[in-house]
Amino acid sequence: MIKPDAVQSNSIGGILEMMNTAGFRVIAMKYTKLTAELAGEFYAVHSARPFYGELVEYMSSGPIVAAILEKENAVADFRALIGATDPAEAAEGTIRSRFAESKAKNAVHGSDSDENAAVEGEFFFSKFERF
Ligand code: CMP
């Protein structure tokens, strides 16, 4: 997912270019906006965290780009491409080092496992929207 801060800063194209250059193929893609309820559902796994309220408010504050990406070893390779959650700790050349503003406004989200990638793909896309 490309988050509201990166959409706002006109970084959609730059981020998609980095994904394509790194070998990720787009299976599904959508420009949309989450309600607070949907953002809360998407991040339900973090509901006990102190930053949950801020996260839900922020993720429903503006449009996002949701996508399903395909590649060998996609989860690990995508996490390497996006870099650490905190852009101050993200390695040079990563998406977050280039585009993220802060730990909360960190430009992109990537699934943390194949299992969660399947759940998160279902959250956004029907089978008719995957190619
Ligand atoms: P993401 O990969 O989308 O998964 C959970 C998100 O919670 C994370 O990226 C951050 O945007 C956000 N997050 C994690 N830690 C903090 C924090 N300490 N303060 C605010 N937001 C956070």
Side-chain angles (χ1 to χ4, degrees):
M1 185 170 11
I2 300 177
K3 298 187 178 185
D5 58 292
V7 172
Q8 183 68 33
S9 64
N10 266 349
S11 304
I12 295 175
I15 290 172
L16 293 181
E17 186 179 9
M18 286 180 75
M19 291 176 186
N20 278 152
T21 300
F24 290 89
R25 200 170 76 78
V26 175
I27 300 297
M29 184 163 281
K30 184 174 286 185
Y31 187 47
T32 187
K33 186 168 180 283
L34 295 171
T35 61
E37 190 184 358
L38 284 171
E41 193 186 316
F42 185 86
Y43 280 115
V45 63
H46 295 305
S47 61
R49 304 285 195 93
F51 57 81
Y52 180 67
E54 181 195 345
L55 177 62
V56 167
E57 183 181 77
Y58 168 60
M59 289 303 298
S60 56
S61 68
I64 55 103
V65 177
I68 299 176
L69 304 176
E70 183 179 76
K71 184 182 179 297
E72 274 299 309
N73 204 31
V75 167
D77 285 1
F78 192 70
R79 289 176 79 75
L81 177 67
I82 67 180
T85 303
D86 185 347
E89 290 164 18
E92 187 132 351
T94 61
I95 290 175
R96 283 173 172 157
S97 124
R98 189 166 159 202
F99 295 107
E101 288 176 34
S102 66
K103 218 170 182 175
K105 299 182 175 183
N106 65 352
V108 282
H109 164 80
S111 305
D112 63 5
S113 65
D114 286 347
E115 190 183 36
N116 280 338
V119 170
E120 292 174 358
E122 290 293 325
F123 181 89
F124 281 110
F125 301 100
S126 80
K127 63 183 176 184
F128 303 108
E129 298 172 305
R130 302 166 186 230
F131 305 96

